[in-house]
Amino acid sequence: MKMHGNGHLHHIEDINYNENPFIVIWEVTRACQLKCVHCRADAQPVPDPRELTHEEGLKLIDDIYEMNNPMLVFTGGDCMMREDLFELADYAIKKGMRVSITPSATPNVTKEKMEKAKQVGLSRWAFSLDGPTPEIHDRFRRTPGSFELTIEKIKYLNELNMPLQINTVISRYNYDHLEEMAKLVADLKAVMWYIFLLVPTGRGQMNDCITPAEHEKVFLWLYELSKTAPYDIKTTAAQHYRRVVLQQKMREHKIKNGEIRYEDTITSDTASMIDGLKRAPKGVNDGNGFVFVSHIGDVMPSGLLPIVCGNVRETPLSKIYRESKVFKDLRQPDKYKGKCGVCEFRYVCGGSRARAYAVTGDYMESEPFCAYIPLAMRKKEKAPLS
């Protein structure tokens, strides 16, 4: 049993990711006024006429609720550009669901809308901030004035005492400015800093990604930061952060208690024992505890792993999640290829399946931005020549 930041109890040990997701992301619309460099959605200025209707939206919420009531996040495009957003949120919240929204900071986000969100009972509001200064953020978002607008909207939220989550994509653009960024997140009174590591898909490109060694540096830095930061830190498309956290915890544990021996393969039980992951001990990954529904009802393992496995207009979400071949593959770390498949951290990490797919075209391949060499491969290298 686990208490979430917003006071809701959630039975993590009850979740079997083969049956039900931990989190469902629904892209309620693709419409958005921004033109961000890294946009996964290749957002467009007006809503798509094929978007799920209000009735279809309510049915989808019912279907999601039936899957052991996972967390539900409304995203976009800009979810604020969906006319019935608050009615949908109200419907889900009245059912007892935990709902968050991730709107873009545009003039669309008015004080009235924030007040409405608070009345409806949205558990968290997430804004994207990708740099500690207007130059860095606006360049990344390709929208002059976006930084100032975001800060202004965040100040409204603070006045309303609504829990704020800040989302940051780490890339070439801001890699050298993370210290200032961490301080800004604290100054803005965020309860959660959600870090995304760039996946080269949609408009996000390879040469904007940081190197494997830089990923490792970022993770070690984040781990140290997490001990003192006034906010929680979570990561997306950074599955290997969980490996780093475990390695650091093991190191600290060993230093404290003299040498400890741990098994070659780290299961989710070991992970929860070493605790401190502040999330489902079993690593959530694309299609494994995580599912994405697009604006037109297409179901994918995640927004960054754009393989359509079915459509909610034709097949219930639960059936697609449980029975699609792609989803089933993604839930079998022992079948991963390359070093991910033999890595002792494959159950808690598993590498970003989305990044593997973006770089190699195969979602079962190794995480291309991981610097770690698994134990099994190191033992092999050391084996004497027969």
Side-chain angles (χ1 to χ4, degrees), residues 268-333:
S268 52
D269 303 341
T270 333
S272 53
M273 233 163 58
I274 303 176
D275 107 288
L277 283 175
K278 286 198 176 144
R279 54 151 50 240
K282 208 160 80 185
V284 174
N285 207 329
D286 307 302
N288 188 11
F290 194 102
V291 60
F292 178 90
V293 182
S294 86
H295 62 304
I296 55 172
D298 285 339
V299 178
M300 309 174 207
S302 83
L304 296 165
L305 181 47
I307 300 175
V308 177
C309 301
N311 189 292
V312 297
R313 285 181 161 134
E314 291 130 39
T315 318
L317 180 64
S318 55
K319 190 172 166 64
I320 301 169
Y321 179 83
R322 290 166 192 163
E323 296 173 21
S324 136
K325 180 193 180 304
V326 174
F327 275 86
K328 285 171 101 163
D329 280 350
L330 289 166
R331 292 194 288 263
Q332 298 186 60

Side-chain angles (χ1 to χ4, degrees), residues 196-263:
F196 296 74
L197 269 297
L198 190 62
V199 172
T201 177
R203 293 201 277 246
Q205 292 315 312
M206 277 295 281
N207 47 2
D208 291 332
C209 293
I210 59 175
T211 67
E214 287 167 338
H215 274 79
E216 207 72 6
K217 269 192 193 145
V218 168
F219 297 148
L220 288 165
W221 174 77
L222 277 176
Y223 175 69
E224 288 307 317
L225 177 66
S226 72
K227 295 175 179 177
T228 56
Y231 41 78
D232 275 349
I233 296 169
K234 282 191 183 172
T235 54
T236 284
Q239 282 72 10
H240 34 329
Y241 175 57
R242 296 196 287 262
R243 163 181 59 76
V244 170
V245 169
L246 276 179
Q247 285 175 312
Q248 294 307 99
K249 288 206 169 289
M250 284 169 180
R251 250 168 229 142
E252 288 162 10
H253 191 86
K254 281 180 180 174
I255 291 162
K256 212 167 75 189
N257 304 326
E259 202 57 29
I260 54 161
R261 201 184 155 275
Y262 61 92
E263 302 315 312

Side-chain angles (χ1 to χ4, degrees), residues 111-268:
K111 211 163 187 176
E112 293 70 49
K113 284 189 179 163
M114 289 189 180
E115 279 163 0
K116 194 162 182 190
K118 189 174 184 177
Q119 284 158 11
V120 169
L122 281 159
S123 61
R124 189 175 294 152
W125 189 300
F127 274 128
S128 290
L129 207 50
D130 294 299
T133 63
E135 294 74 40
I136 299 167
H137 175 85
D138 293 357
R139 184 177 158 217
F140 194 59
R141 295 273 152 191
R142 287 208 294 218
T143 309
S146 168
F147 180 84
E148 298 302 342
L149 198 61
T150 305
I151 298 290
E152 181 192 311
K153 304 300 177 193
I154 286 173
K155 289 192 171 140
Y156 277 173
L157 263 195
N158 283 336
E159 279 171 34
L160 289 169
N161 281 324
M162 265 194 89
L164 161 72
Q165 170 179 317
I166 289 178
N167 295 345
T168 301
V169 179
I170 293 183
S171 69
R172 278 272 145 264
Y173 291 87
N174 58 11
Y175 174 71
D176 294 324
H177 304 274
L178 296 177
E179 292 282 353
E180 300 110 287
M181 198 58 218
K183 185 180 174 320
L184 180 61
V185 174
D187 293 345
L188 294 171
K189 304 185 177 65
V191 294
M192 170 77 70
W193 191 17
Y194 218 102
I195 307 268
F196 296 74
L197 269 297
L198 190 62
V199 172
T201 177
R203 293 201 277 246
Q205 292 315 312
M206 277 295 281
N207 47 2
D208 291 332
C209 293
I210 59 175
T211 67
E214 287 167 338
H215 274 79
E216 207 72 6
K217 269 192 193 145
V218 168
F219 297 148
L220 288 165
W221 174 77
L222 277 176
Y223 175 69
E224 288 307 317
L225 177 66
S226 72
K227 295 175 179 177
T228 56
Y231 41 78
D232 275 349
I233 296 169
K234 282 191 183 172
T235 54
T236 284
Q239 282 72 10
H240 34 329
Y241 175 57
R242 296 196 287 262
R243 163 181 59 76
V244 170
V245 169
L246 276 179
Q247 285 175 312
Q248 294 307 99
K249 288 206 169 289
M250 284 169 180
R251 250 168 229 142
E252 288 162 10
H253 191 86
K254 281 180 180 174
I255 291 162
K256 212 167 75 189
N257 304 326
E259 202 57 29
I260 54 161
R261 201 184 155 275
Y262 61 92
E263 302 315 312
D264 284 359
T265 295
I266 289 151
T267 63
S268 52

Side-chain angles (χ1 to χ4, degrees), residues 64-91:
I64 293 168
Y65 177 76
E66 289 309 314
M67 296 176 77
N68 196 23
N69 192 7
M71 279 195 258
L72 175 59
V73 179
F74 291 145
T75 185
D78 178 6
C79 56
M80 281 294 175
M81 288 186 76
R82 177 140 182 155
E83 299 289 318
D84 59 349
L85 180 73
F86 290 118
E87 286 89 274
L88 293 168
D90 189 47
Y91 180 76

